[in-house]
Amino acid sequence: MARIFYSLALIFISPLIVFYLYILRGKKNQGYRAHFKERFGFVSKSLFKVKAKPLVFHCASVGEVLAATPLIKALQKAHPNLNILITCNTPTGREQILSQFKNTVACSYLPIDFPFATARFLKRIKPQALCILETELWPNLMAISHKKNIPVLVINARLSEKSQQGYQKVAKLTHIIMRSITVLASHNKTDAERFIELGLDKPKSHVTGSIKFDIAPSDEQLSKVQSLKQLYSSNEHDTDERFVWVAGSTHPVEHELVLAAHQQLLKKQPNALLIIAPRHPEQFDKVAEFLTQSPLSFSRRSQNNYSNKQVLLADTLGELQCLYGAANVSFIGGSLIRRGGHNPLESAAFSVGVITGPHTYNFDHVYPELIKLKGAVVVDNNDELAKQLITFSQNTKACQTLGIKAAQCVAKNQGAIQKTLNIINQYLEPKS
């Protein structure tokens, strides 16, 4: 009954959902209007070159795609003939899938959780199993998969106390979700216990750690980092290496705070360079306009015409990890404002230390360990950010130590991918 009411409510607000995705988001990013029929389960049967049932991975957006990439590539290596479909919710997630995997996987949008759309999607795809990253727990998707005897594997699962309280408010619907889970691989014991308290059978729960720690720069990335360092770290007016910092995945309001901090830094380090990478592509032009109106000189990465400016606007996709690697230190966005932060391990893996704001609840499975091992420092506002940047620019050893500690934290917590692969292997059909 709970799922019926949920489905009716979803259908009732469907005009608003379509208006939001196609009109509002589509106006800012045309990618929301492309492949729109996939939102209703009309996924092309020609996605796969062979007829073997695919393994489906659902990654909500860019962050989940990046986290899942090493896991999926390890799975491809172990099972070269395995059909894989990666679904997502956003155009940037789709672009990241294509960037990371080219034509080695199929990709589509996950349908909106209407029962008819989900049923159509599963009927067309006929997955051998469904792997859901983190907490993308859609009731109809999971319940219908369970009814069709499709294993539902929730991997890299995390559940904050706040999210747990939200699920408790819709207990009957939550019970349906928990009953539909075949197996759950969580970050830690605390996360596992929260799922169990919500009704998950204890034997279904496994603690594997976070696959986000299993990140290692590729040779191609390391080569690109060296090229970026040569391009941006040198200064035509000074033989000394300049101080470079990256502000990654910044949001509106936060863009301005970051630029204000950089202006303070420039008073002490006139040759310092800020590389600012807005979280969403629709923000690129807005940040460029803001920079045009500021006293800061800037170049756009997409125009490839950098010439010793004070700011580089990283308005390209798929380069952020390498840009982190080219910096002395990074600031991870979504944390000076109440957005919950973004993944600091993309920087830490390159031995580049992390500065973060106080709002990191999206990564409360990462930041406590990173801070404890002294690979990250916390600032409360843009003035503190500026002071921390000035300190690191004047104390090269302290800045390098922060990066070393960050990389050590990554190495210490690795191993989740193999544990997760061991679980997935149990649910693959023979000869995959």
Side-chain angles (χ1 to χ4, degrees), residues 54 115 149 219 266 305 345 366 400 412:
N149 295 315
D219 290 340
L266 288 171
N305 61 352
L345 301 179
V366 172
Q400 290 174 341
K412 179 184 176 184

Side-chain angles (χ1 to χ4, degrees), residues 98-348:
L98 296 173
S99 173
Q100 294 290 338
F101 296 97
K102 305 297 187 286
N103 62 349
T104 66
V105 303
C107 77
S108 76
Y109 287 127
L110 186 76
I112 301 166
D113 203 36
F114 304 125
F116 59 86
T118 295
R120 181 183 296 118
F121 170 80
L122 293 174
K123 183 178 180 180
R124 289 184 171 218
I125 297 300
K126 296 182 174 60
Q128 56 181 288
L130 174 64
C131 298
I132 299 173
L133 265 289
E134 300 191 4
T135 48
E136 278 284 300
L137 308 180
W138 295 104
N140 283 323
L141 173 67
M142 300 178 72
I144 296 173
S145 295
H146 179 67
K147 186 177 179 180
K148 290 179 175 288
N149 295 315
I150 299 168
V152 177
L153 319 181
V154 182
I155 59 180
N156 210 44
R158 61 187 177 91
L159 189 67
S160 67
E161 185 177 356
K162 183 179 179 180
S163 295
Q164 182 188 23
Q165 292 170 355
Y167 280 110
Q168 287 170 338
K169 291 178 182 178
V170 286
K172 291 184 178 179
L173 196 60
T174 298
H175 180 71
I176 293 171
I177 293 172
M178 295 302 132
R179 189 178 61 198
S180 302
I181 295 173
T182 306
V183 65
L184 180 137
S186 66
H187 286 162
N188 54 46
K189 187 178 179 181
T190 301
D191 287 314
E193 288 173 348
R194 286 175 180 153
F195 279 103
I196 292 168
E197 288 171 3
L198 290 177
L200 180 72
D201 290 341
K202 192 172 182 179
K204 294 181 178 180
S205 175
H206 302 266
V207 176
T208 56
S210 173
I211 64 174
K212 289 185 176 180
F213 281 101
D214 284 34
I215 181 173
S218 65
D219 290 340
E220 182 182 357
Q221 286 178 316
L222 291 172
S223 177
K224 184 171 183 177
V225 164
Q226 288 305 312
S227 298
L228 290 170
K229 283 183 176 180
Q230 290 176 8
L231 183 60
Y232 298 126
S233 294
S234 60
N235 189 306
E236 62 186 27
H237 303 301
D238 196 336
T239 55
D240 293 334
E241 186 175 294
R242 69 196 306 203
F243 182 77
V244 179
W245 68 290
V246 172
S249 296
T250 57
H251 291 261
V253 177
E254 200 169 42
H255 309 315
E256 294 90 327
L257 296 175
V258 164
L259 294 174
H262 189 55
Q263 290 183 64
Q264 292 186 54
L265 172 63
L266 288 171
K267 293 176 183 178
K268 297 291 184 179
Q269 297 289 344
N271 292 326
L273 170 66
L274 161 64
I275 301 175
I276 183 169
R279 178 67 176 179
H280 298 112
E282 55 263 35
Q283 292 294 316
F284 293 163
D285 288 341
K286 293 179 181 179
V287 176
E289 183 179 348
F290 189 85
L291 280 163
T292 301
Q293 297 171 358
S294 80
L296 296 165
S297 62
F298 78 101
S299 293
R300 298 182 70 142
R301 171 70 180 158
S302 61
Q303 294 176 356
N304 199 27
N305 61 352
Y306 179 77
S307 58
N308 199 39
K309 299 295 192 294
Q310 296 167 321
V311 178
L312 175 70
L313 173 57
D315 57 348
T316 56
L317 296 174
E319 289 193 307
L320 182 55
Q321 288 187 36
C322 291
L323 290 170
Y324 280 140
N328 296 93
V329 70
S330 67
F331 166 76
I332 309 299
S335 60
L336 280 179
I337 58 173
R338 296 181 183 274
R339 292 301 295 265
H342 295 290
N343 188 1
L345 301 179
E346 294 172 4
S347 173

Side-chain angles (χ1 to χ4, degrees), residues 241 243 327-329 350-353 374-375 392 395-408:
E241 186 175 294
F243 182 77
N328 296 93
V329 70
F350 285 90
S351 298
V352 175
K374 300 182 179 179
F392 283 137
N395 190 337
T396 303
K397 186 174 181 180
C399 191
Q400 290 174 341
T401 300
L402 186 77
I404 292 168
K405 296 291 185 182
Q408 288 174 346

